[in-house]
Amino acid sequence: MTPALATAAAPPHQAAGFWRTYVVSTDHKTIAKQYLTLGLVMALIGGYLAYVMRWQLAYPDTSVPGFGFVGPETYNTLVTMHGTIMVFFVAMPILLGTFGNFLIPLMIGARDMAFPKLNALSFWLLATGSLVLVVSFFVPGGAAAAGWTGYPPLSARAEYTGVEWGLNLWLLAHAIEFAAFLLGGVNFLTTAITMRAHGLTPGRLPLMIWQLLTASVLFLLSVGPLIAGAIMLLMDRIAGTGFFLPDRGGEPLLWQHLFWFFGHPEVYVVLLPPLGAVLEVLSVFSRKPIFGYRLIIGGTLAAGALSFIVWAHHMFVSGMDPRLAMPFSITTILISVPFALIMFAMIATLWRGSIRFETPMLWALGFVAMFITGGLTGIFNGSAPADIYIANTYFVVAHFHYTLFAAVFFGGFAGLYFWYPKMFGRMLGDRLGPLHFWLTLVFFNLTFFPMHWLGLAGMVRRIADPTQYEMLVPYQYLNVFVTVSSLGLIVAQGIFLLNFFLSLVRGRMAPANPWQAATLEWTTSSPPPHGNWGPALPEVERGAYDYSFPGAAQDWLPQRRLAVPAIAGGQE
Amino acid sequence: MEDVAFRAPASPGQSRGEARTGGEAALRGKIAIWWFLASEIMLFGGLITSFVLARLGGAAGTHEPLNVTVAAVNTFVLLTSSYTMVEAFAAAEHGNRPGMRFFLAVTVLAGLGFLGLKVYEYSGEIAHGFTPGRGGFWSFYYTMTGLHALHVLIGVVVNSALLVMAGAAIRRPYRVELAGLYWHFVDIVWIFLFPLLYLT
Ligand SMILES: [Cu+2]
């Protein structure tokens, strides 16, 4: 077609050795798999920490099998590192790193990212950051123990937590992680802005792309103040400055403002990609166009914008000016409106669809149910009078696990089960998939729902031994119950790992379009070749969700303009 | 059935995302650098806002004995270097290799001069006992100017790389333009820091 095609055609894949193919590859699909591997490895560590924590809470001060004795100091390290790892080194690598890298070029019809080398650099920066974080467990004094939010003064002085280098390395790991995702986000945005297939206007982009891009923008615009805060905290620790230390004229609340200015948008950085995955899955497996495509985009952008002015809802009990509580309550309750609209659009998409209960769809439906539950408890947290009662209790722990954990798990697995055939060229076993889903759904609720009661009963976060508070002793059976359930939840994930690896070698070979989906990535082979599209780039002639299209001979119309008219036949 | 309404305007000769031409690469570079700078604005914005709020709250002290003369000279040096950076890009665009090298060299020297004067300032202040641990104002002063100096240093390295690999820069003048965008940003940050720290 164009002379440029020749130059862009990729060199033959076989020519590169192991090192170039798997380690320093600049192919976005390989980099996506690297993010997935890193995220899963870190998830094992984060999950192990959760197990040790839960054991300690159920059977305080007994030796934890596979770990040993947990004292209060170690417990502080466990909560801190569990939160840090799960948010920054599991959720972001898998949801943003894997999905973003794999899907953006494939869904917009590009051959790779705008800056492939920068892309590889992003991943290796993140891997370095992860390594720094893991190493911090083994330095004298152990890993960071000031909470995943790192509030000063606790985090600003080594003697308060007994952690010296662990916390400095924790800050360093964050700095590297932020740099990695900053470069990654710049790459995502540049790619999607400049490299879309011919005919792929913004109004035809799959919603997954809109979600990934909004998440990237939110991250880029919110992380700056936290980097500023992290530099200040590091200066307090090593250069003797007094930003956050009252005895040096500092102001601890300043950190909380900087942290949560980032923290709330960050929640959406983690939430939006799985939300996008669920939207794709719901449409494909209902065989219906997505309901309210424009409404969903508008809602996403509105929620993104609002997320910059809600942060102080994390600080209602921190001693900030009480006159600020009402405006931040109002913005917080406002932000549930766009999400309620999106949830409504999801349910309306299902309405009178021909629903196919394949494994990705089960996860997507689980996401809708769990996220609505988590969203409802968010209203309690957002309204200052209610929040003052439940702040820092297990009610909040339950809330953010119902939202964040549900988004990561149910949305993330919806996406992984959906795109696994495209990524690895094989189908995931379809017996283990539903088993994994149902066990996860049941144990997830058994684990996290009782935490609401524990919170209302007054159990605060980050205590190593609930039985030392007399008022909590009658509720200890709930802690035991939660721990047993959480073991079930962890064991259930073994089914996924088993399925994942077994299917890699034994799974049925995946056709190009196993789910009869309309978006671009399903029109190339599974897995796509190096360069994604063969000699000619795809061109797009319609929106992403033309399912059950009136007058069409088949059930769906692919976005891609085909040589043979789409009506004449499929491509399977 | 071909639904005309769904069809994009036909221009089969052009395929977006393929071209690796200079124009395309320059556009990608510009979009990337603007997003990067947006997050940099939020970084310095966070610091500056914190400083202003701390100051309004009385935590960051009032007037402190800073060397306004040296800082004013430094402001002039940085502003001049922004001008020479513009000239370097203009020369690169015209394929004028000696001109580009000359203006890049001046820009690099100005950056180094700025850093030298900054070190001179720091050593004077520390000699008088005004260390980072001296209180709220000095915490902000060292952190903000230090972070800015780090940005200047990165700019010096980038500009030096362009200078050393002048042939590549002449072939792809947009690289000088991108480095220039960053350099102007570093300059603008100083325009905010100078009055905030030295004059108020
Ligand atoms: Cu929030």
Side-chain angles (χ1 to χ4, degrees):
Chain A
M1 273 174 79
T2 52
L5 284 178
T7 55
H13 197 228
Q14 294 81 351
F18 176 84
W19 181 257
R20 289 275 303 283
T21 312
Y22 295 106
V23 185
V24 290
S25 168
T26 56
D27 186 320
H28 71 100
K29 300 182 289 297
T30 307
I31 293 175
K33 290 175 199 168
Q34 290 173 328
Y35 274 103
L36 184 61
T37 312
L38 179 70
L40 290 177
V41 169
M42 295 305 280
L44 291 179
I45 302 175
Y48 171 70
L49 297 179
Y51 150 74
V52 179
M53 247 192 307
R54 277 317 315 176
W55 187 282
Q56 161 71 16
L57 287 172
Y59 314 107
D61 299 337
T62 57
S63 180
V64 182
F67 183 84
F69 182 78
V70 180
E73 292 86 2
T74 314
Y75 187 82
N76 286 341
T77 301
L78 296 175
V79 249
T80 304
M81 297 302 278
H82 168 72
T84 300
I85 288 175
M86 288 308 198
V87 172
F88 292 110
F89 294 89
V90 176
M92 285 183 72
I94 293 181
L95 300 174
L96 209 56
T98 306
F99 288 146
N101 273 297
F102 189 74
L103 293 174
I104 289 178
L106 280 171
M107 284 185 137
I108 67 168
R111 293 201 185 279
D112 208 312
M113 286 285 179
F115 308 105
K117 284 180 197 148
L118 194 70
N119 203 20
L121 178 70
S122 301
F123 171 76
W124 284 106
L125 276 176
L126 182 70
T128 312
S130 312
L131 189 67
V132 169
L133 201 71
V134 172
V135 164
S136 80
F137 279 105
F138 304 103
V139 296
W148 83 280
T149 53
Y151 277 10
L154 186 62
S155 59
R157 281 231 171 93
E159 56 265 36
Y160 292 162
T161 55
V163 176
E164 173 71 69
W165 278 101
L167 213 136
N168 293 345
L169 290 178
W170 181 82
L171 283 169
L172 178 67
H174 277 87
I176 300 173
E177 202 257 7
F178 294 154
F181 279 102
L182 247 167
L183 297 178
V186 166
N187 218 337
F188 286 3
L189 286 160
T190 310
T191 306
I193 291 170
T194 63
M195 296 170 72
R196 295 193 309 277
H198 185 68
L200 188 53
T201 55
R204 290 173 176 176
L205 274 181
L207 288 168
M208 181 63 172
I209 300 296
W210 275 101
Q211 305 293 332
L212 285 165
L213 295 184
T214 312
S216 302
V217 172
L218 292 184
F219 185 79
L220 282 182
L221 296 185
S222 67
V223 78
L226 181 60
I227 295 177
I231 294 170
M232 290 149 90
L233 185 56
L234 196 64
M235 292 284 285
D236 273 6
R237 288 179 65 86
I238 62 179
T241 56
F243 290 109
F244 304 124
L245 287 164
D247 59 341
R248 295 193 201 140
E251 173 57 86
L253 274 189
L254 176 59
W255 167 268
Q256 297 190 19
H257 283 292
L258 294 171
F259 185 90
W260 289 115
F261 182 83
F262 163 79
H264 200 94
E266 166 69 11
V267 171
Y268 296 161
V269 171
V270 174
L271 166 67
L272 295 183
L275 190 82
V278 168
L279 286 163
E280 300 296 329
V281 168
L282 286 177
S283 180
V284 171
F285 293 91
S286 311
R287 313 310 296 168
K288 270 186 65 192
I290 203 88
F291 181 89
Y293 174 84
R294 272 160 213 280
L295 176 100
I296 292 171
I297 295 172
T300 306
L301 297 178
L306 276 171
S307 74
F308 285 96
I309 48 168
V310 297
W311 78 88
H313 61 214
H314 297 271
M315 300 168 60
F316 288 147
V317 294
S318 294
M320 73 173 184
D321 191 327
R323 285 169 298 184
L324 281 174
M326 192 48 75
F328 278 102
S329 275
I330 291 171
T331 53
T332 301
I333 288 165
L334 266 183
I335 208 169
S336 58
V337 174
F339 282 114
L341 283 177
I342 293 173
M343 288 295 132
F344 173 75
M346 286 179 165
I347 294 168
T349 302
L350 296 170
W351 181 252
R352 307 182 86 172
S354 340
I355 295 177
R356 299 176 177 174
F357 287 101
E358 310 249 14
T359 312
M361 185 61 161
L362 295 178
W363 288 101
L365 295 172
F367 172 92
V368 175
M370 293 303 102
F371 191 76
I372 288 176
T373 316
L376 286 176
T377 52
I379 298 172
F380 295 83
N381 296 325
S383 130
D387 182 70
I388 287 167
Y389 180 68
I390 53 183
N392 285 328
T393 68
Y394 265 73
F395 191 90
V396 176
V397 177
H399 161 74
F400 66 68
H401 281 92
Y402 262 92
T403 45
L404 264 188
F405 185 106
V408 176
F409 253 66
F410 292 91
F413 278 127
L416 275 182
Y417 278 92
F418 185 55
W419 281 295
Y420 183 96
K422 189 52 70 181
M423 292 181 91
F424 298 100
R426 289 180 186 265
M427 304 299 289
L428 271 172
D430 31 356
R431 295 230 184 93
L432 289 177
L435 181 68
H436 174 214
F437 167 75
W438 287 110
L439 287 178
T440 302
L441 183 75
V442 168
F443 282 117
F444 169 82
N445 281 289
L446 293 182
T447 302
F448 294 108
F449 201 83
M451 288 187 184
H452 291 114
W453 300 327
L454 280 167
L456 291 175
M459 180 167 163
V460 292
R461 296 166 74 175
R462 296 167 180 159
I463 51 170
D465 179 2
T467 57
Q468 64 181 323
Y469 303 92
E470 213 176 298
M471 63 176 193
L472 292 179
V473 172
Y475 299 97
Q476 185 57 17
Y477 75 95
L478 274 178
N479 270 318
V480 175
F481 182 82
V482 166
T483 297
V484 173
S485 309
S486 74
L487 291 179
L489 184 59
I490 292 172
V491 170
Q493 304 320 307
I495 300 172
F496 169 72
L497 290 179
L498 185 73
N499 198 0
F500 187 97
F501 289 112
L502 277 183
S503 302
L504 272 186
V505 283
R506 284 210 212 143
R508 191 156 51 82
M509 299 304 283
N513 191 359
W515 313 119
Q516 302 178 309
T519 42
L520 281 182
E521 78 273 26
W522 302 106
T523 60
T524 182
S525 60
S526 302
H530 200 58
N532 294 350
W533 306 108
L537 279 176
E539 295 192 14
V540 168
E541 60 177 351
R542 60 184 71 250
Y545 304 102
D546 279 340
Y547 297 100
S548 307
F549 196 78
Q554 65 181 25
D555 180 38
W556 84 103
L557 291 179
Q559 260 195 304
R560 183 174 186 171
R561 173 179 298 156
L562 297 169
V564 191
I567 316 299
Q571 59 255 317
E572 276 211 54
Chain B
M1 185 204 73
E2 280 287 0
D3 193 332
V4 183
F6 276 101
R7 298 202 67 170
S11 55
Q14 171 218 17
S15 288
R16 296 176 67 188
E18 277 295 296
R20 265 302 187 181
T21 62
E24 178 72 19
L27 178 69
R28 285 180 195 172
K30 253 186 242 178
I31 288 172
I33 211 102
W34 277 113
W35 280 113
F36 172 72
L37 290 182
S39 81
E40 286 271 58
I41 289 172
M42 294 305 290
L43 166 61
F44 280 101
L47 264 177
I48 290 174
T49 311
S50 301
F51 173 67
V52 170
L53 288 175
R55 192 128 200 204
L56 291 176
T62 48
H63 275 278
E64 300 282 350
L66 286 173
N67 197 333
V68 180
T69 319
V70 175
V73 172
N74 247 348
T75 310
F76 177 73
V77 169
L78 263 198
L79 281 174
T80 311
S81 76
S82 257
Y83 163 71
T84 54
M85 194 73 209
V86 171
E87 289 293 336
F89 173 52
E93 260 198 320
H94 290 105
N96 174 2
R97 186 167 160 164
M100 184 195 75
R101 289 186 56 123
F102 170 75
F103 282 112
L104 276 178
V106 177
T107 311
V108 168
L109 283 178
L112 289 174
F114 177 90
L115 290 175
L117 282 175
K118 202 71 219 146
V119 170
Y120 167 76
E121 256 190 285
Y122 283 156
S123 46
E125 282 141 9
I126 291 170
H128 285 87
F130 297 113
T131 57
R134 184 64 183 264
F137 177 86
W138 294 101
S139 301
F140 277 106
Y141 168 77
Y142 280 102
T143 306
M144 282 160 50
T145 56
L147 188 66
H148 175 260
L150 183 67
H151 279 76
V152 173
L153 184 64
I154 292 167
V156 166
V157 171
V158 170
N159 291 341
S160 305
L162 289 172
L163 181 61
V164 172
M165 295 179 280
I170 287 288
R171 276 195 304 280
R172 299 184 187 83
Y174 68 86
R175 290 190 177 175
V176 184
E177 188 184 13
L178 299 181
L181 283 172
Y182 172 80
W183 189 252
H184 299 320
F185 168 77
V186 173
D187 194 0
I188 290 167
V189 170
W190 181 255
I191 301 292
F192 277 89
L193 293 187
F194 175 55
L196 269 175
L197 288 168
Y198 290 82
L199 303 179
T200 53

